[in-house]
């Protein structure tokens, strides 16, 4: 998505003064307050208009919930911003919190208008997921299209907003964009078109922008592989496109995060110098921008992708070190499951990653962790006794 944030001469933030219900309808008040809160999240005023607030059918005179999106200009290299919000009305005052604010979890855990699934994902219990190490990049996600299809990587890591290179562009195949993992889906743009966000477990969420014919989602529970829309050129929230595609973005703990070194469909994304550059790796196989990515499916949380850093196969040993005899081999790019881990001989793998961790596979053989992409440098199934 080739999207330039237009910097206004000044940004005026109105005070969050509650409006009396006698002078305005409660929902009208809520729209004003949500817009004001959204503008406090934007470092600069957006030239494309006021934040788009979508008060879904569940919003009442006492509770509010829905998406708010700050549109971007419809020019290259401009990026919209969007959040879910929860609001509670006490007398004449609305208390509004956006995703990422502590109050969002407090309100989300008690809001009666939210489903039980939403209260679990957005409420205070979700804070425990924030304790997951930021170096643990296991998501369990696939690429956002059908298994065994090959789509083109049309754009390497680049932003969705905030300058964070959280996104890649994908196009091809049957054009059907599918959920990378199960979760709760929401339509983000006020138009109801173009932009779907799916909130997953473990603090992750994925965004899908430029869609055509997308589902109308208001907390809809979707499974991995469920249809979200088709690749398109929708710019309801701003930006631009040069051809039909999906702008696929990664969020973690309510903010966009660099997509570099995360895996989707068993391809590890690799950023390069400059936006839209980069590649994806499946083991030692490298595919650059313009190449095709076969969707192998999601990687299990106890699984790994063999990466010999240039070789064709990896020796499997009888124990955790090179002093143990070779008892077999496993092909570069193969998926294996880890039974447990133990310290042994130190090795250096891709990107000078050095470790003395070894993994015992479910067949009883051992391989060095530096030659296995798991998404974390720690044991994925505990240490062996």
């Amino acid at each position: 998505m080739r999207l330039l944030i237009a910097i206004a001469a000044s940004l005026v933030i109105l005070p969050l003064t509650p409006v009396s219900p006698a002078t305005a309808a409660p929902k009208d008040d809520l729209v004003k307050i949500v817009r004001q809160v959204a503008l406090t999240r934007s470092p600069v005023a957006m030239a494309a208009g006021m934040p788009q607030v979508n008060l879904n059918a569940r919003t009442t005179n006492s509770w509010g919930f829905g998406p708010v999106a700050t549109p971007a200009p419809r020019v290259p290299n401009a990026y919209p911003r969007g959040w879910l919000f929860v609001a509670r009305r006490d007398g004449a005052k609305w208390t509004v919190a956006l995703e990422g604010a502590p109050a969002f979890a407090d309100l989300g855990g008690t809001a009666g208008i939210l489903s039980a699934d939403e209260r679990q994902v957005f409420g205070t219990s979700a804070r425990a997921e924030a304790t997951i190490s930021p170096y643990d990049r296991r998501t369990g996600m696939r690429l956002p299209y059908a298994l065994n299809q090959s789509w083109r990587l049309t754009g390497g890591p680049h932003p969705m907003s905030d300058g964070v290179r959280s996104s890649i562009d994908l196009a091809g195949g049957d054009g059907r964009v599918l959920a990378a993992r199960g979760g709760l889906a929401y339509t983000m743009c006020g138009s109801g078109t173009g932009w779907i966000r799916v909130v997953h477990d473990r603090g992750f969420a994925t965004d899908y922008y430029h869609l055509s014919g997308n589902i109308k989602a208001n907390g809809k529970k979707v499974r991995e592989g469920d249809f979200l829309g088709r690749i398109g050129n929708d710019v309801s929230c701003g930006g631009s496109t040069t051809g039909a595609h999906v702008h696929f973005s990664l969020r973690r703990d309510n903010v966009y995060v660099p997509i570099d070194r995360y895996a989707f469909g068993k391809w590890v994304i690799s950023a390069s110098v400059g936006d839209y550059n980069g590649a994806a790796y499946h083991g030692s196989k490298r595919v650059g921008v313009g190449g095709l990515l076969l969707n192998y499916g999601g990687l299990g949380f106890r699984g790994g992708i063999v990466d010999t850093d240039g070789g064709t196969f990896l020796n499997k040993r009888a124990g955790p070190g090179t002093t143990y005899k070779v008892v077999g081999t496993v092909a570069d790019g193969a998926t294996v499951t880890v039974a447990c881990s133990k310290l042994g001989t130190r090795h250096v793998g891709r990107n000078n990653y050095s470790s003395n961790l070894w993994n015992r596979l479910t067949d009883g053989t051992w391989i060095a962790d530096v030659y296995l992409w798991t998404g974390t440098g720690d044991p994925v199934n505990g240490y062996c006794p």
Side-chain angles (χ1 to χ4, degrees):
M1 179 176 65
R2 297 185 178 274
L3 299 175
L4 179 41
I5 296 180
I7 302 178
S10 63
L11 172 61
V12 179
I13 303 298
L14 299 177
L16 302 184
T17 303
V19 181
S20 170
T23 60
K27 291 185 180 180
D28 292 338
D29 299 345
L30 180 56
V31 170
K32 296 176 183 177
I33 300 301
V34 171
R35 282 176 172 168
Q36 292 167 353
V37 174
L39 286 173
T40 67
R41 285 283 189 95
S42 297
V44 293
M46 304 298 285
M50 290 296 290
Q52 304 171 6
V53 182
N54 184 3
L55 296 185
N56 58 60
R58 288 180 291 169
T59 297
T60 67
N61 287 344
S62 299
W63 284 97
F65 176 77
V68 52
T70 304
R74 294 189 177 188
V75 298
N77 303 317
Y79 308 95
R81 307 186 72 195
W83 310 268
L84 296 174
F85 71 86
V86 177
R88 181 179 61 199
R89 183 169 176 262
D90 182 11
K93 180 182 178 182
W94 280 104
T95 299
V96 176
L98 304 184
E99 283 179 289
F104 184 84
D106 294 336
L107 293 174
T110 59
I113 59 170
L114 301 186
S115 68
D117 288 330
E118 288 172 324
R119 288 195 296 272
Q120 181 177 2
V121 170
F122 298 131
T124 53
S125 62
R127 287 177 175 165
E129 295 185 328
T131 62
I132 298 173
S133 168
Y135 302 106
D136 186 345
R137 294 182 172 85
R138 293 176 294 170
T139 67
M141 295 182 194
R142 60 195 273 180
L143 287 163
Y145 47 87
L147 298 179
N148 299 315
Q149 279 196 11
S150 293
W151 282 31
R152 200 167 301 281
L153 178 66
T154 58
H158 57 283
M160 177 64 173
S161 68
D162 304 326
V164 177
R165 291 198 284 176
S166 60
S167 314
I168 56 175
D169 289 341
L170 299 159
D174 60 7
R176 289 167 50 86
V177 178
L178 311 179
R181 186 169 169 81
L184 302 173
Y186 299 88
T187 307
M188 298 301 295
C189 293
S191 64
T193 62
W195 184 1
I196 296 290
R197 174 169 297 168
V198 179
V199 181
H200 311 283
D201 56 5
R202 293 171 61 84
F204 288 102
T206 47
D207 282 6
Y208 311 75
Y209 192 37
H210 300 314
L211 300 181
S212 66
N214 59 269
I215 62 173
K216 308 303 181 189
N218 175 25
K220 177 181 174 64
K221 193 170 184 177
V222 297
R223 299 167 299 177
E224 176 189 326
D226 277 358
F227 177 78
L228 300 178
R230 299 184 63 85
I231 57 173
N233 294 288
D234 187 281
V235 288
S236 296
C237 278
S240 69
T241 68
T242 56
H245 69 282
V246 60
H247 179 88
F248 177 66
S249 307
L250 181 66
R251 291 171 61 85
R252 183 170 186 174
D253 298 329
N254 303 301
V255 296
Y256 292 105
V257 293
I259 201 169
D260 178 53
R261 291 182 288 174
Y262 281 91
F264 304 90
K266 299 179 184 177
W267 289 90
V268 181
I269 307 302
S270 178
S272 186
V273 177
D275 291 347
Y276 296 95
N277 297 321
Y281 285 87
H282 178 70
S284 295
K285 181 178 180 180
R286 180 187 184 277
V287 171
V289 174
L292 295 173
L293 304 181
L294 176 65
N295 192 354
Y296 295 98
L299 181 68
F301 292 104
R302 295 176 178 176
I305 307 163
V306 176
D307 180 0
T308 60
D309 193 19
T312 57
F313 66 88
L314 179 67
N315 286 331
K316 299 194 292 184
R317 305 242 172 208
T322 52
T323 59
Y324 293 88
K325 68 178 181 179
V326 176
V327 292
T329 61
V330 59
D332 181 85
T335 301
V336 297
T337 302
V338 176
C340 60
S341 302
K342 196 170 186 178
L343 300 183
T345 308
R346 180 172 293 276
H347 284 278
V348 178
R350 186 178 299 282
N351 299 321
N352 292 318
Y353 168 52
S354 174
S355 176
N356 62 343
L357 188 70
W358 283 68
N359 299 307
R360 182 162 68 87
L361 308 183
T362 50
D363 65 359
T365 63
W366 295 79
I367 60 175
D369 190 69
V370 296
Y371 300 124
L372 187 68
W373 190 94
T374 61
T376 175
D378 295 323
V380 297
N381 204 9
Y383 282 98
C384 301

